[in-house]
Amino acid sequence: MPGGLDHIAHAVRDLDAAAEFYQRAGFTVGARNRHPWGTHNRLVQLRDFYVEILEVAEPEKIPPHGARAFSFGAFHRDFLEHRQGLDMILLNSTDAVADNASFQTSGIGDFEVFDFAREGLQPDGKPVKLAFSLAFARDPQSPQVAFAVCQHHFPENFWNAAFQSHANGARDVLGAVMVADNPSDRHVFLKAITGLNDLNSSSIGVKAHTANGDIEIIEPVSFRDQFGVSPAVQGDGMTFNGLRFAVDDVDQTEALLRNNGVMSRRHVGRVIVSPDVAFGATLIFESKRVD
């Protein structure tokens, strides 16, 4: 069964500019990594979670989608034709093959497991081997967001406390926030992708409490009321709009953003960086969980 949030993808058109924004926002950002299928990324690592800032840098290398092959590069390329922003949610997995079989049974994914490896660098510059297995899932009514599980085969080489120290005090992910006109229509999908039967449903949406952060789907008006941003919604499906971080002190985070020239505002006790500043994403900083 999938675990908690492992990472999310933030698709951008200029990787270095987006990384510079994350740095000004007080995050420690890793070096550029290159994938053989045409995407490049830079990572922001927290405790048991990371943000993958991702650019389609070499579109000529991107393979097309196949009958049972989900093209990671093609998905992000197609997303970036219309907008920048958050476009993929990945949960942690200890067995991607088993989770893939579960997705097939649930009718949310019939793709082959995607295995890949690359070399990583420790903070001291030492090269280490990294390898991952991904199993993908899709909601046909939500073409702007994809889902997957990610199995780390050498987690001891990937997670490193030196990468998890951030000037803005960020320490954990609190949740991924999606928007849909009718969140209850996505209830069955959310159960299938998380493997959780006990979801929190209310008049404004549905929420899965995973082992590492929430995944919630709420109405556009609720997103506006909670975060002060009016999200763009297209069609009946979901869009991935916001990412919530736990920080040590929201006052200090707000001061750092202001001093570094990153526009933000307070809303319902949170510090919010809006999509026009954060490359299409709404970044939400909280001192503790706010329900």
Side-chain angles (χ1 to χ4, degrees), residues 245-256:
F245 298 98
V247 297
D248 293 328
D249 186 308
V250 290
D251 292 335
Q252 293 180 8
T253 302
E254 185 177 38
L256 179 143

Side-chain angles (χ1 to χ4, degrees), residues 139 141 180-190 206 217 236:
D139 173 16
Q141 290 186 298
D181 278 332
N182 297 293
S184 60
D185 291 348
R186 314 266 72 80
H187 186 276
V188 173
F189 180 86
L190 188 57
V206 58
I217 311 165
D236 296 327

Side-chain angles (χ1 to χ4, degrees), residues 18-261:
E20 190 269 339
F21 156 75
Y22 270 92
Q23 289 170 333
R24 286 192 296 113
F27 290 101
T28 299
V29 181
R32 179 180 288 256
N33 303 300
R34 294 167 172 80
H35 300 138
W37 53 86
T39 55
H40 294 186
N41 70 24
R42 296 181 67 176
L43 307 183
V44 173
Q45 189 178 125
L46 285 81
R47 182 164 51 193
D48 299 324
F49 172 82
Y50 65 99
V51 176
E52 179 179 14
I53 315 167
L54 185 139
E55 172 191 55
V56 177
E58 301 171 274
E60 69 280 1
K61 294 183 178 181
I62 293 177
H65 291 295
R68 297 192 62 237
F70 180 89
S71 173
F72 182 89
F75 169 75
H76 295 291
R77 177 200 62 202
D78 296 346
F79 177 87
L80 285 166
E81 288 180 358
H82 304 283
R83 53 171 292 195
Q84 300 183 99
L86 308 172
D87 67 349
M88 187 175 286
I89 296 174
L90 299 97
L91 296 163
N92 182 264
S93 176
T94 57
D95 190 337
V97 172
D99 289 331
N100 192 55
S102 176
F103 293 165
Q104 292 174 337
T105 300
S106 300
I108 64 170
D110 188 25
F111 304 104
E112 298 172 350
V113 174
F114 180 50
D115 301 304
F116 71 99
R118 67 173 176 85
E119 185 179 88
L121 293 176
Q122 298 283 44
D124 60 3
K126 176 185 176 182
V128 292
K129 184 176 181 179
L130 302 173
F132 311 88
S133 293
L134 303 182
F136 294 99
R138 297 299 307 273
D139 173 16
Q141 290 186 298
S142 306
Q144 296 185 71
V145 59
F147 301 83
V149 295
C150 177
Q151 181 180 359
H152 296 248
H153 295 289
F154 300 99
E156 69 280 3
N157 290 340
F158 182 82
W159 301 108
N160 193 302
F163 292 135
Q164 298 169 15
S165 177
H166 304 285
N168 61 17
R171 44 190 170 82
D172 295 293
V173 63
L174 289 177
V177 188
M178 292 181 289
V179 170
D181 278 332
N182 297 293
S184 60
D185 291 348
R186 314 266 72 80
H187 186 276
V188 173
F189 180 86
L190 188 57
K191 288 175 64 174
I193 190 64
T194 61
L196 300 174
N197 290 318
D198 186 16
L199 302 185
N200 181 2
S201 298
S202 69
S203 60
I204 63 171
V206 58
K207 181 187 298 185
H209 293 291
T210 81
N212 188 38
D214 296 335
I215 300 176
E216 58 184 316
I217 311 165
I218 59 177
E219 296 176 344
V221 66
S222 179
F223 192 92
R224 183 198 64 198
D225 291 346
Q226 291 187 54
F227 309 119
V229 173
S230 295
V233 178
Q234 298 179 355
D236 296 327
M238 302 172 284
T239 55
F240 181 16
N241 297 79
L243 188 62
R244 298 168 56 212
F245 298 98
V247 297
D248 293 328
D249 186 308
V250 290
D251 292 335
Q252 293 180 8
T253 302
E254 185 177 38
L256 179 143
L257 293 170
R258 181 173 58 251
N259 291 339
N260 288 351

